Amino acid sequence: LFDADIYGPNIPLMLGASGPPAARDNKLIPLEAHGVKLMSMGFLADENTPMIWRGPMVHGAIRQLLRETDWGELDYLVVDLPPGTGDAPLTLIQSVPLSGVVLVTTPQDVALLDGVKGIRMFRKLNVPILGLVENMSGFVCPNCHHETAIFTKGGGEKEAARQKLTFLGAIPLDPAIAQGGDKGVPLVVGQPNSPQTKALRWLAQIVAGQISIANMK
């Protein structure tokens, strides 16, 4: 897992890992947490120091971390990008061949506006789009089990249909997801049998299937 959010590297906190990484043969050795190899600017900079960098510095940092990390043998390299259509996604597209991108949106229209811009950017740059995920899709009360669409619901699925994209699934809004991230214990590790974990595992399977389909073309 490569954290390409240079300005807000939160993967170390969410996975309970801290740096700095070791080096071998002029390569950084990725840290590991919960069986996942990790690299992030958060391992190399003080967490309280803001990265007040212009675009070229972000570009250089992403390329350097990608190329100078000894990833070893990988099944997948997942890159966590910041929202928007700025330096980080452009640098990634220019630096390595991508199997595809997964777009994540919340259901409300204001978030979908940004999502559509991302769709158009990746299409313009000929990057395969594996599909779209609707995050924070409905909150189920743990006491009465009633579902409330806090941010509305279904906007991501409707937009996927409009854009002729595969709808990869909906992840419900649940405080346990945020609590797990704050503690450095992802929900899939801390609560492996919860409905939210099942939704996340199903999403991972669908994405892996989409990558396999894309690689056969």
Side-chain angles (χ1 to χ4, degrees):
L1 176 58
F2 175 45
D3 183 2
D5 190 345
I6 300 298
Y7 295 121
N10 50 29
I11 291 299
L13 171 64
M14 295 178 70
L15 290 178
S18 59
R24 182 177 60 222
D25 298 329
N26 296 319
K27 293 273 190 176
L28 294 173
I29 307 301
L31 278 74
E32 190 167 322
H34 311 293
V36 179
K37 294 179 181 180
L38 310 170
M39 182 52 66
S40 170
M41 179 58 72
F43 296 141
L44 303 170
D46 185 276
E47 64 179 8
N48 297 314
T49 301
M51 307 304 291
I52 309 174
W53 287 0
R54 294 188 182 274
M57 296 178 71
V58 173
H59 173 85
I62 291 175
R63 289 174 67 93
Q64 186 172 6
L65 287 175
L66 267 175
R67 294 178 175 180
E68 297 185 11
T69 297
D70 185 3
W71 294 103
E73 293 294 324
L74 297 176
D75 297 309
Y76 300 95
L77 177 61
V78 179
V79 181
D80 178 31
L81 288 168
T85 56
D87 295 300
L90 287 173
T91 296
L92 184 68
I93 293 166
Q94 294 167 356
S95 301
V96 291
L98 302 178
S99 298
V101 296
V102 173
L103 294 160
V104 182
T105 183
T106 47
Q108 67 270 41
D109 289 343
V110 68
L112 289 167
L113 284 174
D114 292 336
V116 169
K117 291 176 184 177
I119 291 168
R120 291 174 178 168
M121 177 189 73
F122 288 117
R123 281 177 168 165
K124 189 171 183 178
L125 296 172
N126 298 315
V127 177
I129 300 176
L130 302 175
L132 187 144
V133 178
E134 181 175 296
N135 197 18
M136 302 184 184
S137 178
F139 169 72
V140 178
C141 175
N143 298 315
C144 68
H145 305 294
H146 174 74
E147 183 175 3
T148 302
I150 294 176
F151 298 108
T152 75
K153 187 174 181 179
E157 186 170 7
K158 291 175 183 175
E159 191 60 47
R162 278 194 292 266
Q163 298 291 337
K164 296 181 171 55
L165 294 173
T166 300
F167 181 63
L168 298 172
I171 304 300
L173 176 66
D174 191 289
I177 297 176
Q179 292 164 4
D182 288 345
K183 293 177 181 177
V185 182
L187 191 72
V188 295
V189 176
Q191 299 183 30
N193 298 315
S194 71
Q196 293 77 16
T197 289
K198 291 177 181 177
L200 289 166
R201 289 190 180 279
W202 175 249
L203 170 61
Q205 292 175 14
I206 295 296
V207 171
Q210 290 296 110
I211 292 173
S212 296
I213 292 170
N215 288 340
M216 289 190 295
K217 292 180 180 179

